Amino acid sequence: MRTIDLRSDTVTRPTPAMRRAMAEAEVGDDVYREDPTVNRLEALAAETLGCERAVFMPSGTMTNQVALMVHLKRGAEVIAPEGAHIYEFEPGAIGVLSGGVPRLVPAPYGVPDLEALRRAIHTSPHQAPTGLIALENTHNLAGGTVVPLEVQRKVQEIARTAGLPTHLDGARLFNAATYLKVPAREVAAGFDTVSVCLSKGLGAPVGSLLLLPKALEPEARRYRKMLGGGMRQAGVLAAAGIVALQEGPAHLERDHQMARALAEGLVRLGLGVDLKAVQTNMVYARVPEAPRFVARLAALGVRANALGTDRVRFVTHRDLDDADIPQALERIAQALERTS
Ligand SMILES: Cc1ncc(COP(=O)(O)O)c(CN[C@H](C(=O)O)[C@H](C)O)c1O
């Protein structure tokens, strides 16, 4: 029986084109900036996203945390939307690596409440100073939801007025661009730093990029090295990243359509799904005793992640066959029958 893996788009495997590029990659020592393929990837990413420079790193967590280290002084606050990955799933790194303090603001569907965000900016000497405003697009825990460009621009205006930098956790920036039907550079526009993952929906086996101004690059590279992210012949990985940037975005619309079909099927099965939140490649469903349900589902050959006791996340991606979603729905129905 074919296992249908809906745990995350991080499970995507390198394509044959990526493997060929990896095998043929020209390499050098990237710590000395001599890996031609890493240099090509970084130049391509900066050009694609309309930023001055890009730094290749092993993970999205590292790109986010290096950005926070560049922006934040110890004891400064980073304002972020509730459920932000930089707070929820980068295990305490904010406090450990940058000495920053998270200040979460309400963000229904991942869209920050602008009034709450304005109020969260500290100026009193009795409080931690605000050092950064961060957004997440798409927003993972909110459901893979998209922050509208005009909201991003309003947040950037608030930050500018307050003299604050901005960071975008754009792990799934290309999913947001696909949903908005705009070039990726429009989603990245206006932020001081932007993280973009190659290893999720774009399909690369490893890696993320931190997009940033030239002036911040030396510090970002120093922090990357400090964290052990200085890589040697990383062109083998960057070669796949180039293919992912060039070919990956075209597959995302299908991922979104599969998620929509899955969501509608789950509703038909009686599960609680907020269809308004199903905008890209994620579906969150309310399922009683979620961990037990996920275990039963795994025994039926469908893998998904339980969040807490009553939510299950399903994520679609390019490695799924067209038959996988209908097949997954059949197996989900079986798993549900076993509970009744
Ligand atoms: C918005 C966002 N920003 C950053 C990251 C970190 O990327 P990696 O460190 O896993 O490369 C993730 C990974 N998300 C992973 C997933 O969704 O399966 C897990 C939760 O960490 C993310 O969703």
Side-chain angles (χ1 to χ4, degrees):
M1 171 175 63
R2 171 178 163 82
T3 295
I4 301 169
D5 196 344
L6 299 171
R7 288 174 296 172
S8 179
D9 46 8
T10 60
V11 304
T12 49
R13 306 292 174 87
T15 65
M18 290 177 189
R19 290 180 184 274
R20 276 195 302 277
M22 294 168 81
E24 294 161 7
E26 259 193 287
V27 294
D29 190 325
D30 184 46
V31 169
Y32 297 115
R33 306 295 306 284
E34 291 173 5
D35 186 300
T37 309
V38 170
N39 293 340
R40 267 182 55 222
L41 168 63
E42 291 175 344
L44 174 65
E47 166 59 31
T48 303
L49 291 160
C51 301
E52 286 185 355
R53 307 289 293 172
V55 181
F56 183 49
M57 298 190 197
S59 69
T61 298
M62 188 178 284
T63 53
N64 278 333
Q65 294 302 324
V66 165
L68 297 184
M69 292 167 79
V70 166
H71 291 306
L72 290 176
K73 289 187 174 45
R74 284 167 53 80
E77 283 194 348
V78 49
I79 296 172
E82 62 191 347
H85 192 276
I86 58 171
Y87 172 71
E88 295 287 352
F89 297 117
E90 298 182 11
I94 297 179
V96 172
L97 297 178
S98 51
V101 180
R103 163 80 54 182
L104 302 183
V105 295
Y109 296 100
V111 182
D113 175 318
L114 295 180
E115 264 322 296
L117 192 147
R118 281 193 185 87
R119 286 198 303 275
I121 296 175
H122 286 163
T123 50
S124 154
H126 302 286
Q127 295 179 295
T130 304
L132 175 68
I133 297 178
L135 291 183
E136 182 174 316
N137 206 358
T138 66
H139 192 293
N140 183 344
L141 267 184
T145 51
V146 175
V147 180
L149 296 185
E150 64 271 15
V151 173
Q152 292 197 154
R153 281 194 277 276
K154 285 179 183 161
V155 170
Q156 292 164 359
E157 182 51 40
I158 292 169
R160 212 174 359 262
T161 304
L164 294 171
T166 55
H167 172 69
L168 176 66
D169 176 353
R172 295 183 181 83
L173 181 148
F174 283 88
N175 292 83
T178 299
Y179 175 84
L180 294 168
K181 296 183 174 36
V182 299
R185 63 174 53 222
E186 285 196 27
V187 180
F191 289 97
D192 293 281
T193 51
V194 180
S195 293
V196 175
C197 286
L198 301 169
S199 59
K200 295 184 173 60
L202 297 185
V206 172
S208 292
L209 291 147
L210 180 61
L211 289 298
L212 74 180
K214 196 176 176 69
L216 298 181
E217 182 179 7
E219 196 177 4
R221 289 189 182 276
R222 182 162 58 83
Y223 285 135
R224 180 187 72 164
K225 188 89 176 58
M226 182 194 291
L227 299 177
M231 298 175 282
R232 301 301 177 176
Q233 289 66 38
V236 177
L237 297 174
I242 290 169
V243 176
L245 262 184
Q246 291 170 334
E247 298 179 4
H251 296 267
L252 297 177
E253 181 55 40
R254 174 177 174 265
D255 294 354
H256 299 180
Q257 288 165 2
M258 287 191 290
R260 190 78 201 171
L262 175 64
E264 289 166 357
L266 294 176
V267 169
R268 284 195 298 274
L269 289 173
L271 292 183
V273 175
D274 177 357
L275 290 175
K276 189 177 163 198
V278 182
Q279 300 171 9
T280 59
N281 69 326
M282 292 187 185
V283 184
Y284 282 77
R286 290 256 170 247
V287 182
E289 297 183 70
R292 285 185 57 197
F293 170 77
V294 162
R296 258 195 311 282
L297 202 50
L300 291 165
V302 176
R303 307 186 74 175
N305 276 330
L307 278 106
T309 58
D310 68 348
R311 280 214 300 174
V312 175
R313 184 188 75 165
F314 302 90
V315 183
T316 59
H317 52 81
R318 60 183 291 172
D319 287 0
L320 296 173
D321 293 344
D322 289 346
D324 282 339
I325 294 303
Q327 181 61 232
L329 284 165
E330 281 180 26
R331 298 181 197 175
I332 290 167
Q334 288 173 42
L336 288 169
E337 275 155 23
R338 292 186 181 182
T339 49
S340 50

